[in-house]
Amino acid sequence: MAFLFFHRATLSFFFFFLCLLPLLSSAQRPSNLRLERAYVALQAWKQAITADPKNITGDWSGPLVCKYTGVYCAPALDNPSQITVAGIDLNHGAIQGTLPIELGLLSDLALLHLNSNAFRGTLPGSLTNLRLLYELDVSNNQLGGDFPSVVLELPSLRFLDIRFNRFCGGVPSCLFDLPLDALFLNDNQFTFSIPENIGNSPVSVLVFARNQITGCLPKTIANMRKTLHELIIMSTGLRSCIPPEIGQLTKLTVLDLSHNDLVGNLPSTIGNMTSLEQLDVAHNELSGEIPSGICDLPKLHNFTYSYNYFFKEPPRCLTIRSHDDRQNCFPLRPLQRPPSQCAAFLSKPNSCDSIGCIASP
Ligand SMILES: *[C@@H]1O[C@H](CO)[C@@H](O)[C@H](O)[C@H]1NC(C)=O
Ligand SMILES: *[C@@H]1O[C@H](CO)[C@@H](O)[C@H](O)[C@H]1NC(C)=O
Ligand SMILES: *[C@@H]1O[C@H](CO)[C@@H](O)[C@H](O)[C@H]1NC(C)=O
């Protein structure tokens, strides 16, 4: 009996290492509740996928979710002895399907990268369970409907990229109260006016391009001076003047306000934006003189102001490495608008006040 007992114990010991060593060595642990929940979530997601041309989810079966393609595991933040699903990266998967409610079971997820797929529908409200979600990139999909307000309830979110989708309707102003580092809303069908609290947003990159923006560009944008590096508001139909306060954005390197209906002058305060490298105000209804301070900016190497009604430019603007002054009203420059067009435009009121935006003194 004693021999038999000893023998079984030895065998158990042997099997313990034989079975678990390979798992342990690849950062796997026996299944825990977190991984079981992840398994339920990922199987539900696989069901919700209608086409997977690159067979990325082909290996999404069995309990070892950490071995699934695109699924990344790490020790849980609140219990490092447990492995959990911390990231999912299906970028460029061309996957068709929807995002099921079960994704809310992935409560330890920090990164969710789904860019360049063909997910339809919207972001499920259950994502509010993802208290650790730090980066959410669902760009270049076919998501639609109203602004996915669940993103407003994610306390750890710092990077939000929902560009190139079919979201429509308004953009909630409280979005700009979130502690985000980067915000990409471009290439959707949002219709909104930029709220006064935009200045509360600590983002370094803000891209609104190719949505529809009504109302005025608020002067409170100057409150982003400590953090904002890139501001892209091209092709939004924005009809406003450019508030002189914009010159306080001294960390800004890229400012693109092109393809809008901006009126009035280019504020001379832009000459204070000492970090500016690229400035594009082309295709607007701006007029007046190009302030010489702008063309003196030490880092400015690309200044595009074509297709406006400017009538005077300092010669040094023409020494900027890449500049474009076509289709304005400069008397001695090539490729300008016909004088009759300039005269007709400049005879009409085109100040800030004429469009209902309040000009700052
Ligand atoms: C997809 O991947 C799985 C697992 O990697 C494999 O078994 C299956 O044959 C693949 N299917 C196709 C159509 O390539
Ligand atoms: C900003 O620009 C304005 C107008 O060009 C100028 O009067 C002002 O002194 C500048 N402010 C700073 C801080 O450089
Ligand atoms: C300058 O900016 C314009 C528009 O923003 C862009 O089309 C052009 O390619 C840029 N030129 C260089 C040399 O980067």
Side-chain angles (χ1 to χ4, degrees):
M1 274 315 267
F3 172 77
L4 204 61
F5 180 78
F6 173 78
H7 187 66
R8 277 166 67 189
T10 313
L11 264 183
S12 306
F13 191 68
F14 181 68
F15 275 121
F16 179 80
F17 277 96
L18 191 73
C19 299
L20 294 182
L21 261 183
L23 297 180
L24 290 167
S25 64
S26 60
Q28 289 278 355
R29 295 286 188 284
S31 187
N32 59 45
L33 189 60
R34 298 167 197 262
L35 293 177
E36 279 169 27
R37 286 158 57 89
Y39 174 77
V40 173
L42 295 170
Q43 290 309 312
W45 201 0
K46 193 171 173 173
Q47 290 294 310
I49 286 172
T50 53
D52 179 1
K54 297 182 183 175
N55 200 21
I56 289 171
T57 60
D59 62 3
W60 282 24
S61 55
L64 300 181
V65 295
C66 298
K67 295 216 185 273
Y68 290 10
T69 299
V71 174
Y72 298 90
C73 292
L77 282 185
D78 58 345
N79 182 354
S81 71
Q82 289 196 351
I83 294 293
T84 189
V85 173
I88 293 181
D89 183 344
L90 301 178
N91 281 354
H92 304 283
I95 295 171
Q96 294 174 31
T98 56
L99 304 176
I101 192 167
E102 287 87 349
L103 292 185
L105 293 169
L106 297 165
S107 48
D108 296 312
L109 208 61
L111 309 179
L112 182 55
H113 290 176
L114 303 180
N115 105 47
S116 304
N117 284 286
F119 288 109
R120 287 168 284 108
T122 191
L123 301 182
S126 60
L127 293 187
T128 187
N129 294 332
L130 277 47
R131 311 310 282 172
L132 304 175
L133 192 63
Y134 183 89
E135 286 188 20
L136 177 59
D137 177 357
V138 295
S139 61
N140 199 21
N141 276 280
Q142 295 166 19
L143 299 168
D146 288 344
F147 183 88
S149 51
V150 66
V151 304
L152 304 171
E153 298 164 34
L154 300 172
S156 303
L157 194 65
R158 297 294 175 269
F159 179 95
L160 178 60
D161 187 349
I162 62 171
R163 68 187 134 165
F164 292 99
N165 275 290
R166 298 169 182 171
F167 291 113
C168 56
V171 170
S173 59
C174 54
L175 180 61
F176 303 102
D177 296 328
L178 301 181
L180 297 178
D181 293 334
L183 177 56
F184 299 90
L185 300 180
N186 53 294
D187 297 274
N188 278 288
Q189 294 152 27
F190 290 123
T191 302
F192 66 108
S193 56
I194 301 176
E196 293 285 324
N197 70 328
I198 184 153
N200 295 351
S201 178
V203 291
S204 62
V205 180
L206 181 56
V207 187
F208 285 142
R210 288 174 294 273
N211 285 285
Q212 197 189 328
I213 301 186
T214 57
C216 306
L217 188 57
K219 61 185 181 197
T220 49
I221 199 152
N223 296 339
M224 302 176 84
R225 66 179 79 79
K226 290 207 176 81
T227 51
L228 194 61
H229 282 79
E230 275 189 41
L231 177 61
I232 315 286
I233 317 187
M234 70 178 296
S235 301
T236 66
L238 181 64
R239 186 156 184 80
S240 173
C241 53
I242 304 175
E245 289 81 359
I246 204 166
Q248 297 175 29
L249 297 173
T250 51
K251 293 206 166 133
L252 208 62
T253 59
V254 179
L255 176 58
D256 190 339
L257 301 174
S258 66
H259 295 268
N260 286 301
D261 296 317
L262 298 173
V263 301
N265 297 339
L266 210 47
S268 60
T269 53
I270 292 179
N272 293 343
M273 298 168 69
T274 46
S275 304
L276 204 57
E277 297 170 16
Q278 296 184 50
L279 174 60
D280 191 347
V281 296
H283 292 270
N284 279 292
E285 296 179 8
L286 298 165
S287 56
E289 267 180 60
I290 303 288
S292 60
I294 296 179
C295 298
D296 288 335
L297 282 169
K299 294 184 179 160
L300 189 66
H301 59 75
N302 190 351
F303 183 19
T304 308
Y305 47 103
S306 48
Y307 295 89
N308 280 288
Y309 295 88
F310 294 114
F311 49 75
K312 200 167 171 220
E313 65 186 330
R316 55 177 161 279
C317 294
L318 305 177
T319 66
I320 292 172
R321 193 174 348 137
S322 177
H323 63 269
D324 186 351
D325 69 350
R326 288 170 301 147
Q327 296 299 317
N328 278 288
C329 302
F330 302 125
L332 302 172
R333 293 284 299 158
L335 301 171
Q336 298 299 301
R337 295 181 187 275
S340 58
Q341 212 180 80
C342 291
F345 178 84
L346 297 170
S347 68
K348 290 181 302 181
N350 49 50
S351 68
C352 267
D353 307 325
S354 68
I355 56 158
C357 292
I358 299 158
S360 308

